[in-house]
Structures are given as structure tokens and as C-alpha cells.
Amino acid sequence: MNPNPLFYIFGNGIYAYGICMAVGILACFAFLMFTMWYKNFNEKSTDAVLIIGLFGTAFGIFMAMLVQSILNFAAHPDKGFQLGGMTFMGGLIGGVGSFLAVWNVYVYVVGPRTKFQWLSSKDMNATLSDALPFIPIGIAIAHAFGRLGCHFAGCCYGAPADWGLPVAANDSILRIPTQLFEMSFLFLLAGVMAFLYYRYKFNYNFGVYGVAYGIWRFILEFFRDDPRGALILGLQPSQFWSILMVLIGVGYFFLQFYVLKNLMKHPELTPRAAKAAEASPEVVGGVPAEVTEQAPVEVAEQAPIEEAPAEVTEQAPVEEAPAEEKPEVEKPEEKPANKKSENK
């Protein structure tokens, strides 16, 4: 635990919590970029996921602060409303919700109608249904680094325990290191989802993440001892959202099986050579132009045929063979007429 600034830049303190968050976000996007390259997403699809994902991340951080501030104000209205603190559930709802909203507006409203080629969504070879199976893996990685930051900041700590660690920023009591437990669980969950996705082409990881983390978080809240805001229906705020996560996760299994699987384009089935040819600006019929333009074939000049000498070319007259003389056939002599006939 180290809640104090590690160093200063232009008078601003840099904390271990902020560094862990930054590393987690970078690791998340690095994983997404690698997976989209591995799954053969083209440039249009990759850019859409990354750019809208950056917007969703920024909006999610804002919502994490806003929701926690609202919960703090509801628990202690006498202190007034102050924007501060963060809750992962608020960030998850804000980040995922804004990502889905912007994605659908871009893909189905702006992209097909824009006159700017760089803004068009017509050439995308992947849909959101192709990305949803691996996006939760990146979220779990980022969240795990965030929980490590919580350990350094001394927040989100657990109840006192003799076997615990001094993990609270405001005291030195031995407590359950709930931050480290959750970090370990999230790294394990990310590993399991990655194994299922890469090894078995499992497309239900969004449901796995919702159900697994929802159940884990609901149970973990019983062992935490930090202030988390006003209760919702007698439950801790994160327990209430955990129940919704489990329900959404279960519903996603049916949504993926009956609807989303039919919307997937499966870019991994497209040969990489064809994708490269499609992205090349100089392409003729799917083949690079420099390949289609064949070099002129040089025809070898034939040596002139020398004329044969006239005495050779003039054929000697052909002597006709004498016709064979046929032997004369002797005619039989005519016998004299019967004398008796002459006497009549």
C-alpha cells in the first residue's frame, strides 16, 4: 500500500493508483488490437472498435465518479454533493452503455449515409457480434490492474481480520485484502475466457463475465468494510448491480444463441491475402495493379531464311515410264456357213 504520490510532474502528484489504471487501460487495448489482428479484422472494423472503445472508456470513468458521488450524497446529504471517488459498477454501466449507443448510431445511421469515405461503415468485415466474445477479456484485464491500484491507494478494503494485511489508507488495522483477492479473481477469469475463446472459439464470454463477476462481487461485498454509499433495497449498491449483471449475463446466452450468432461475419474465415488486396488502394479485380500489368513480351527476331540456289530448287524433268504393251488377243476364225443352208 502506498497512497502517497510517487513523484510529481509540474507540481501534480502521480499516484500508484493512477499508474495502475493507465497500465490496465493500455493492456486492455493492446489485447483488443492483438485479437482483432489475429481474427483478421480489417482496418475499418479495428478503427471503429478502438475509437468508440476510447470514448466508452472516458465516459465510463466519468460515470464511475458521478455514480459514486451520487451514492455518497445520498448517504451523507449534509456534506453536500462533491464529485469524487469511483465505483466500478457505475463505470461499467456507463462505459458499456455508451459504447453500444455510439456503435449502433455509427454503424446503422451515420456510416451508411455519410459522403466521407473515411467515415463510411460499408467496408467493415466484422460486426459488434464478432467483437463481443473477446471484449470482456480486455475489461477483466483492465479491472484487475485497477484493483491493484485500489490496494496501493488503500481503498475498497475488507473487514478486520487477524490474518489480514494493513490495506486501509486511514488506519493500520489488519484487514481482509479484498482488493488483492478481486485482482486475482479477475486475472483468473480473464485467463479462463481467453482459453475458451482461443481454444474452443467460445462466443459466450460476455455472458460468462456477467454471471461470474456478478456472483463474485455479490459475495465479496459481505467482506468489505469501506464506505460505499446508500443502500439500495437493503443491499449494498454493488450487490444490487451484481444481481442485474447476472440477469443480463444469463440473457446474453440466449441472445447470442438465437440472434447474435446470425449477425456474425466471421472475418477469421477470410484469407489474409484477400483482406490485404481489399485494403490496397491500387487494386484491379482483387489483384494489385502492379501484378495485373504484365511486362511486354519481347519477340525474338528470326534470322532470314537463305534462298536455296536455283539449280537446287529447279527440279529435273520427270521421265515418263513407257506404257506397257498389252499382248494382242487372237480372234477366233469364223466358221463358214452351213452349206445346206446355202442349197435351200
Side-chain angles (χ1 to χ4, degrees):
M1 182 181 65
N2 190 0
N4 300 317
L6 299 178
F7 52 91
Y8 292 86
I9 297 180
F10 301 111
N12 297 315
I14 305 300
Y15 296 85
Y17 177 80
I19 293 176
C20 289
M21 280 192 61
V23 171
I25 293 173
L26 290 175
C28 171
F29 279 91
F31 169 79
L32 294 179
M33 291 177 65
F34 168 78
T35 306
M36 286 186 286
W37 168 83
Y38 181 79
K39 287 297 181 178
N40 210 19
F41 280 47
N42 64 6
E43 186 176 354
K44 281 279 187 180
S45 302
T46 301
D47 290 346
V49 173
L50 294 179
I51 294 174
I52 299 176
L54 286 172
F55 170 80
T57 301
F59 189 78
I61 294 174
F62 169 74
M63 286 299 297
M65 299 174 63
L66 180 62
V67 171
Q68 185 62 56
S69 300
I70 293 173
L71 294 174
N72 292 338
F73 177 75
H76 304 284
D78 54 311
K79 296 182 178 180
F81 180 84
Q82 297 178 353
L83 187 62
M86 299 179 70
T87 173
F88 172 75
M89 288 299 187
L92 180 66
I93 295 172
V96 173
S98 61
F99 180 90
L100 294 176
V102 175
W103 177 277
N104 285 285
V105 170
Y106 166 66
V107 173
Y108 298 108
V109 179
V110 177
R113 294 171 174 81
T114 183
K115 296 181 180 179
F116 300 101
Q117 181 61 29
W118 60 270
L119 192 59
S120 175
S121 62
K122 296 179 181 179
D123 298 330
M124 295 172 60
N125 72 336
T127 65
L128 183 60
S129 303
D130 296 290
L132 282 177
F134 59 82
I135 286 179
I137 305 174
I139 295 176
I141 293 173
H143 191 188
F145 279 102
R147 282 302 177 217
L148 179 61
C150 291
H151 169 71
F152 287 121
C155 62
C156 307
Y157 48 82
D162 296 336
W163 51 270
L165 298 172
V167 292
N170 54 357
D171 60 51
S172 58
I173 300 175
L174 299 181
R175 297 178 178 274
I176 300 174
T178 51
Q179 315 101 315
L180 299 180
F181 287 160
E182 187 165 353
M183 178 196 71
S184 302
F185 171 79
L186 288 168
F187 276 129
L188 178 62
L189 179 60
V192 170
M193 290 191 295
F195 175 77
L196 292 174
Y197 182 68
Y198 285 109
R199 180 65 177 85
Y200 298 104
K201 299 179 181 179
F202 188 73
N203 294 323
Y204 298 85
N205 275 333
F206 200 91
V208 171
Y209 175 77
V211 172
Y213 182 73
I215 294 174
W216 165 266
R217 185 63 182 270
F218 186 90
I219 297 173
L220 188 68
E221 288 295 309
F222 290 110
F223 299 94
R224 285 179 57 170
D225 194 37
D226 58 311
R228 284 154 286 173
L231 300 179
I232 301 177
L233 301 178
L235 299 172
Q236 293 291 343
S238 294
Q239 288 180 319
F240 174 80
W241 298 120
S242 296
I243 294 174
L244 293 182
M245 279 190 68
V246 173
L247 295 177
I248 293 174
V250 173
Y252 180 83
F253 284 99
F254 294 95
L255 183 65
Q256 172 66 29
F257 184 80
Y258 289 105
V259 179
L260 297 182
K261 72 175 184 180
N262 299 322
L263 302 177
M264 299 176 72
K265 293 185 177 181
H266 296 285
E268 67 275 9
L269 302 180
T270 305
R272 292 189 180 274
K275 188 188 77 168
E278 177 186 351
S280 176
E282 297 180 357
V283 171
V284 178
V287 181
E290 58 269 17
V291 177
T292 58
E293 295 178 0
Q294 297 181 355
V297 180
E298 296 182 359
V299 180
E301 296 182 359
Q302 297 180 354
I305 301 175
E306 298 181 357
E307 296 183 359
E311 59 272 11
V312 177
T313 56
E314 294 180 0
Q315 297 181 357
V318 181
E319 297 181 357
E320 296 181 0
E324 295 181 358
E325 296 181 357
K326 297 181 181 180
E328 295 182 359
V329 181
E330 296 181 357
K331 296 180 181 181
E333 296 182 358
E334 294 181 1
K335 293 180 180 182
N338 196 347
K339 294 182 178 180
K340 291 183 179 182
S341 58
E342 292 179 357
N343 297 329
K344 287 185 181 181

